[in-house]
Amino acid sequence: MPETYLKPPMADEKIEVETREEISTASAALAAAVVEQKPKLLSPSMIQLYAIMGIGYLVSTMNGFDSSLMGSINAMIPYQETFGLESAGPTTGIIFIIYQIGQIASFPFCGLFADGWGRRWCIFIGCLIVLVGTAIQGSAHHLGQFIAGRFILGFGASIASAAGPAYTVELAHPAYRGTMAGMYNNFWWVGNILAGWTTYGTNLHIKNSWAWRTPTVVQAGLPAVVLACIMFFPESPRWLIHHDRAEEALAIFAKYHGEGNPNSPIVQLQYREIVEEYQACRDENAWWDFRELVNTRAARYRFAMVIAMSFIGQWKMVAAAGISSTDTQLLINAINPIFSLLASIYGATCLDKLGRRPMMLWGLGGSCTFYILLTAFTASTSHDANLSYGTIVSIYLFGICFAWGFTPLQTLYAVECLDNRTRAKGSGANFLFLNIAIIVNTYGISVGIKAIQWRLYVWIVIEMVIIYFFFVETGGKTLEELSEIFEAPNPRKASTRKVKVKVERTKSGQVVGIKEEA
């Protein structure tokens, strides 16, 4: 087979090649850059990058916190007495859904802030709105004020969340993008766990309205940390290049990806690709114009991936375990997210090794297996109460499989599929469809489960078929290299193609030649 040198051996001196190794990879250019300058995981600049990413992850806690908060305080007697509510009813449904409506309403503004002002400003504004909404909600004595606070809170959380995933994926080191950016959505569980244990403690020890007010005050804590820090961090280099600030972008890449060296192979690879992409599509596009999400075949394929991920990531069903004790139910609900968090963290570390598509397929395959067991145990619980514990185990194992295979990818995959021009708008659209899916999941699928029972679980198999035949593999490539994938006649097939890279080293380990085998 013909070979192309990515790093030709030195011609002016005789070098004895001691070892040759062959690497199967999705991107020859990225593999060559990583081999030539292997990233130092514990260098000062990488540790700084971890800290920046860690603050970015906290944006994801907002939605996780609220998902647990309302389910918990809705059962509190002081909360019901404050607003004259029952634990169920049409008003309760409005209180729950208004958060999603606020998130949907924010969609048109995501592009304005994230594309026009930058990723950091978008996150800052979103967190500021969240603090305002939390203050209104937490101080409410009337139902109208509480509902207004929840709408504002959802609006702000969605604004911040539109830029949060884009910021982390655009700043992550390309060799470890799966783990570094995949960790973002795992912090959804951190917020969920924090809310679960906070409400558990306040309900146990406080018997007045502060039983539910305290968790709403705590809800403002992590967004406040992000608000205080985010403007001291570097802007996304990709956003800077697209706003004619290439020198600043190169300096950021050099500091965090190249150990201070602007001529580092990894730095130069990303910088050249982003500049070339920007120069190829410099036409202006207004923040309110969303046509570029669907104006070409490649754009439509990208956007289809975003929409599909929104629904597949949310259309998962739950079942009652047949446990009548409220304390036992609360304990199960408090412990389950801990297992899911641990599974999702492990899943994020596997993304760069296993790939996105295999993770999704294996995660859904495991979930489907435990759904079948869950259905069987649930159906048998009425005849033997002891089988309810089999249901609990099945729920836990289903959650672990889903968290391992899907939680790290729920935001990462969508922002990877989008190009630099459309990433903020598309990320906002991702949350738009995600919230539509949540509403359908909450108010439609639960009814469907009762109506058709186990037949609805066939949806998992349908999801696996869609992923296998249509989802592209985004791992192992730079974000800019994905453009070639989506322009291909069959993007899914093009994305799974591997190339072989041969690396030549001296006896001391120095890389003297890197060549791609066609």
Side-chain angles (χ1 to χ4, degrees):
M1 291 184 178
E3 296 176 336
T4 303
Y5 271 101
L6 303 169
K7 176 184 172 64
M10 300 176 187
D12 58 343
E13 56 182 291
K14 186 177 180 180
I15 295 177
E16 183 177 350
V17 176
E18 178 73 16
T19 61
R20 291 181 174 88
E21 60 180 299
E22 188 173 272
I23 302 172
S24 180
T25 181
S27 167
L30 179 58
V34 171
V35 167
E36 195 169 352
Q37 184 189 16
K38 188 172 178 61
K40 300 176 182 177
L41 294 178
L42 296 179
S43 68
S45 59
M46 284 294 282
I47 291 173
Q48 290 179 42
L49 182 58
Y50 300 150
I52 293 168
M53 301 287 281
I55 297 298
Y57 299 156
L58 296 182
V59 175
S60 186
T61 63
M62 291 186 282
N63 288 319
F65 194 103
D66 195 84
S67 70
S68 176
L69 174 72
M70 284 310 302
S72 298
I73 69 172
N74 187 59
M76 294 181 180
I77 300 301
Y79 167 80
Q80 296 174 14
E81 290 176 346
T82 300
F83 300 114
L85 296 171
E86 299 177 356
S87 60
T91 304
T92 298
I94 293 173
I95 294 171
F96 273 72
I97 204 174
I98 197 68
Y99 182 86
Q100 272 71 46
I101 293 175
Q103 295 208 318
I104 292 172
S106 73
F107 168 61
F109 302 94
C110 294
L112 168 64
F113 296 134
D115 283 335
W117 296 3
R119 311 313 194 210
R120 295 179 307 159
W121 271 111
C122 187
I123 293 172
F124 181 90
I125 293 169
C127 289
L128 181 62
I129 295 173
V130 166
L131 296 187
V132 172
T134 303
I136 294 172
Q137 175 180 284
S139 62
H141 290 277
H142 304 285
L143 190 59
Q145 180 180 339
F146 188 82
I147 292 174
R150 286 191 52 70
F151 177 87
I152 295 170
L153 202 158
F155 189 97
S158 184
I159 292 289
S161 299
Y167 182 73
T168 54
V169 81
E170 290 175 350
L171 203 58
H173 195 291
Y176 307 108
R177 191 177 69 239
T179 298
M180 295 182 73
M183 283 294 295
Y184 173 89
N185 201 54
N186 293 350
F187 272 63
W188 187 96
W189 288 112
V190 174
N192 187 277
I193 292 167
L194 179 61
W197 286 101
T198 301
T199 52
Y200 181 81
T202 58
N203 186 56
L204 192 63
H205 298 290
I206 303 174
K207 302 305 177 184
N208 54 40
S209 67
W210 281 102
W212 67 265
R213 293 185 196 276
T214 300
T216 62
V217 173
V218 173
Q219 189 172 18
L222 295 180
V225 172
V226 178
L227 185 78
C229 298
I230 192 66
M231 297 309 295
F232 295 99
F233 294 160
E235 182 54 85
S236 160
R238 288 169 168 84
W239 184 87
L240 290 171
I241 289 173
H242 278 251
H243 287 76
D244 297 315
R245 295 163 65 181
E247 290 185 4
E248 294 176 56
L250 181 59
I252 292 170
F253 275 138
K255 180 176 181 179
Y256 296 106
H257 295 179
E259 302 296 334
N261 178 15
N263 295 315
S264 159
I266 292 177
V267 170
Q268 284 298 314
L269 172 65
Q270 294 179 93
Y271 180 73
R272 289 196 306 268
E273 287 182 343
I274 300 168
V275 170
E276 288 172 6
E277 181 204 44
Y278 173 51
Q279 292 175 344
C281 56
R282 292 194 62 163
D283 57 302
E284 294 296 327
N285 187 67
W287 64 267
W288 43 264
D289 189 347
F290 291 86
R291 286 177 296 180
E292 64 179 347
L293 290 171
V294 294
N295 62 358
T296 66
R297 176 184 171 277
R300 288 189 291 273
Y301 203 106
R302 290 176 185 268
F303 197 47
M305 295 295 95
V306 173
I307 296 173
M309 197 64 184
S310 298
F311 283 94
I312 290 175
Q314 288 300 323
W315 281 6
K316 52 188 184 294
M317 293 71 77
V318 296
I323 301 296
S324 57
S325 170
T326 302
D327 289 338
T328 303
Q329 289 179 354
L330 287 173
L331 187 61
I332 291 170
N333 291 336
I335 294 174
N336 192 26
I338 297 175
F339 284 103
S340 294
L341 173 63
L342 294 174
S344 64
I345 291 173
Y346 178 58
T349 66
C350 296
L351 281 173
D352 291 316
K353 301 173 185 175
L354 301 181
R356 282 46 162 173
R357 282 165 43 87
M359 290 279 291
M360 293 185 207
L361 292 170
W362 281 107
L364 284 178
S367 298
C368 188
T369 299
F370 292 113
Y371 258 140
I372 294 171
L373 292 175
L374 187 153
T375 307
F377 281 122
T378 302
S380 304
T381 298
S382 59
H383 305 293
D384 186 349
N386 290 327
L387 292 177
S388 62
Y389 295 100
T391 305
I392 295 171
V393 172
S394 298
I395 290 174
Y396 276 1
L397 292 175
F398 162 76
I400 288 171
C401 289
F402 191 89
W404 176 82
F406 251 89
T407 298
L409 285 166
Q410 283 179 279
T411 53
L412 168 63
Y413 188 77
V415 295
E416 283 186 324
C417 285
L418 295 160
D419 62 14
N420 291 325
R421 279 174 57 87
T422 62
R423 188 163 291 121
K425 292 177 182 177
S427 187
N430 180 34
F431 275 88
L432 169 68
F433 289 105
L434 184 148
N435 281 286
I436 292 172
I438 290 174
I439 292 171
V440 175
N441 191 39
T442 303
Y443 298 96
I445 289 181
S446 58
V447 175
I449 289 176
K450 294 179 181 178
I452 63 176
Q453 298 178 3
W454 63 269
R455 296 177 186 85
L456 190 57
Y457 301 162
V458 175
W459 171 248
I460 298 178
V461 177
I462 295 174
E463 290 176 333
M464 294 177 70
V465 171
I466 293 172
I467 290 169
Y468 182 83
F469 286 104
F470 298 104
F471 272 40
V472 302
E473 177 55 63
T474 58
K477 310 168 186 70
T478 64
L479 294 173
E480 288 66 40
E481 286 176 319
L482 291 170
S483 295
E484 183 180 347
I485 298 298
F486 284 102
E487 294 288 349
N490 186 333
R492 192 274 305 168
K493 186 176 181 179
S495 72
T496 57
R497 188 177 297 118
K498 297 288 187 180
V499 296
K500 292 182 179 180
V501 175
K502 290 184 178 180
V503 181
E504 299 175 347
R505 300 179 187 270
T506 63
K507 190 173 183 179
S508 64
Q510 179 185 359
V511 177
V512 294
I514 304 172
K515 51 189 176 183
E516 177 185 353
E517 187 178 82

